[in-house]
Amino acid sequence: MRTDTSPALQVGFQLFFFFFFFLSGGEIGGGEAAIALPRFAEAPQFRNGDGCAGKGGGGVCDPELVHIAMTLDAHYLRGSVAAVFSLLKHASCPDSLFFHFVASESESESPAAAELRRVVAETFPSLRFEIYPFREELVAGLISASVRAALESPLNYARNYLADLLPPCVRRVIYLDSDVLAVDDVRRLWETRLPAAAVVAAPEYCHANFTRYFTAAFWDDPALGPRAFDGRRRRPCYFNTGVMVVDLRRWRAGGYRRRIEKWMRVQKERRIYELGSLPPFLLVFAGEVEAVDHRWNQHGLGGDNVEGSCRPLHAGPVSLMHWSGKGKPWDRLDAGRPCPLDHLWAPYDLLLPPSPSSSSSSSSSSSAMASLLLSL
């Protein structure tokens, strides 16, 4: 049966799709134009003190620099901005910090690098940084399902490729997740001694149940299980990959990216772990990590990977807080259900409210569309 549509209704449908297209930023399918990055207040300016070597005027190969790598994306940008602010605020030589940001190259899932660069430059006018595009296809075929969807993001694996992305003259880098907050001078972490046998330094947690990071199938397989850790310098312990000091020269020379990828391929075949990008790191580095004081990764403040419940700080001094887990302080604060420690993060939040003009324009357009459709 054929149903005729009146000209007025046809016009209404056309106008509906026009307004939908306009209000979605020109992308019905969710491309780059559809992603509106948040606005941030300009951070205070921080300068080197009298005791700093040089004034940080050299290029990226300046040997006096402290190199810090982080990822950037639309959802975690608010956390990244707060993390950078905290690092600058507490640095004894802030001009000596150089930030290496890694952003997705995908046109459908991330804003353009130019737009990210604009936001970072406007928020931190004096910041020394570079943005590196990360090709998701490098790792997309190696990622397996995890307990939380966010852990399956290809950008979550970008830390595996830092030695390939950063300039060869960068010999060492501190990798930090976007949900961290520094309350101490990061140079102290930078100066961690790495003996000749070590590639990675990080806080270790040997009291944690190491076996739970892998499946029963892994431990029951005589070709895997404990044999995977034979010959390590020490007994393997859990460490969190959200805070690491990495010797990039040794990483490149030892082909550690390929070693991690090898275990990711095993995972695709046999399902030997459940938790995102961490287990391959454990398989390669557990028992070989140079231990760092726990104060540099007070992790788990985001709760577990399912509930994201509130957690207290661990006993002992604190230099860096880490909201690893499902709960992020910005989400919980916005929802009006913050955990006690989220209030320590809030002073570093530079987010600005949406501009009144854009909000009113969107509201007016929506009202006009609704009125037009109701009149048809």
Side-chain angles (χ1 to χ4, degrees):
M1 180 178 68
R2 180 174 174 230
T3 303
D4 291 328
T5 304
S6 69
L9 195 57
Q10 291 177 4
V11 172
F13 282 127
Q14 292 172 355
L15 288 171
F16 172 82
F17 284 110
F18 168 78
F19 276 108
F20 183 83
F21 182 82
F22 172 77
L23 291 172
S24 65
E27 290 283 351
I28 293 178
E32 287 185 11
I35 300 176
L37 293 181
R39 298 166 57 247
F40 299 96
E42 183 178 320
Q45 299 293 302
F46 301 100
R47 295 299 182 189
N48 282 1
D50 294 336
C52 297
K55 293 298 180 183
V60 68
C61 297
D62 185 340
E64 300 298 333
L65 291 176
V66 172
H67 296 278
I68 301 171
M70 303 176 69
T71 58
L72 285 182
D73 66 8
H75 179 67
Y76 285 94
L77 182 59
R78 187 172 170 188
S80 300
V81 167
V84 172
F85 182 21
S86 72
L87 289 159
L88 293 171
K89 179 179 175 61
H90 295 284
S92 57
C93 302
D95 285 331
S96 301
L97 304 188
F98 194 106
F99 288 84
H100 303 267
F101 296 118
V102 181
S104 172
E105 191 180 61
S106 168
E107 293 184 355
S108 62
E109 295 184 14
S110 70
E115 183 66 5
L116 279 172
R117 182 179 296 276
R118 179 192 65 79
V119 171
V120 174
E122 289 180 357
T123 307
F124 304 102
S126 301
L127 191 71
R128 308 179 68 191
F129 73 95
E130 187 53 75
I131 297 179
Y132 307 85
F134 178 62
R135 291 167 45 221
E136 295 183 348
E137 63 267 24
L138 290 174
V139 72
L142 298 173
I143 298 174
S144 54
S146 183
V147 296
R148 184 158 57 90
L151 300 178
E152 300 171 22
S153 166
L155 199 59
N156 201 41
Y157 294 80
R159 72 196 82 190
N160 303 356
Y161 297 84
L162 292 177
D164 302 310
L165 294 169
L166 273 56
C169 65
V170 179
R171 299 181 174 185
R172 171 185 286 213
V173 70
I174 297 173
Y175 173 80
L176 298 174
D177 278 349
S178 298
D179 50 2
V180 304
L181 194 74
V183 292
D184 199 351
D185 187 357
V186 73
R187 181 172 285 275
R188 295 174 181 168
L189 177 61
W190 173 257
E191 292 174 349
T192 298
R193 177 181 171 273
L194 274 171
V199 178
V200 171
E204 286 187 303
Y205 304 90
C206 293
H207 64 278
N209 181 4
F210 186 76
T211 61
R212 71 184 182 91
Y213 292 98
F214 304 96
T215 63
F218 171 82
W219 294 113
D220 292 342
D221 190 329
L224 300 174
R227 286 190 59 185
F229 303 99
D230 283 350
R232 303 293 169 100
R233 289 193 297 147
R234 299 189 309 274
R235 84 176 173 93
C237 294
Y238 160 73
F239 67 97
N240 181 277
T241 55
V243 180
M244 297 185 293
V245 181
V246 182
D247 188 309
L248 295 178
R249 294 176 302 171
R250 296 172 188 170
W251 182 290
R252 296 176 181 119
Y256 283 94
R257 184 255 298 165
R258 293 189 296 274
R259 299 189 195 191
I260 291 173
E261 290 176 340
K262 183 198 79 170
W263 283 112
M264 293 176 70
R265 292 188 182 93
V266 173
Q267 160 75 353
K268 295 288 284 187
E269 298 173 358
R270 308 192 197 182
R271 194 67 182 176
I272 58 175
Y273 55 81
E274 304 288 350
L275 190 65
S277 62
L278 170 64
F281 252 88
L282 295 180
L283 285 163
V284 173
F285 291 110
E288 299 289 346
V289 170
E290 186 65 16
V292 173
D293 193 295
H294 290 174
R295 68 188 303 152
W296 284 106
N297 194 351
Q298 285 270 355
H299 70 293
L301 304 184
D304 60 24
N305 283 299
V306 179
E307 299 295 333
S309 54
C310 299
R311 287 184 179 175
L313 290 170
H314 306 292
V318 181
S319 291
L320 185 142
M321 294 181 285
H322 185 190
W323 277 262
S324 58
K326 182 179 180 181
K328 304 306 174 189
W330 55 91
D331 290 333
R332 296 193 295 213
L333 286 162
D334 287 351
R337 297 190 299 272
C339 294
L341 291 175
D342 296 343
H343 294 292
L344 299 179
W345 181 90
Y348 296 89
D349 184 13
L350 296 177
L351 182 72
L352 290 173
S355 61
S357 58
S358 63
S359 299
S360 61
S361 173
S362 176
S363 176
S364 299
S365 301
S366 300
S367 299
M369 180 179 67
S371 299
L372 178 62
L373 290 175
L374 288 172
S375 68
L376 294 174

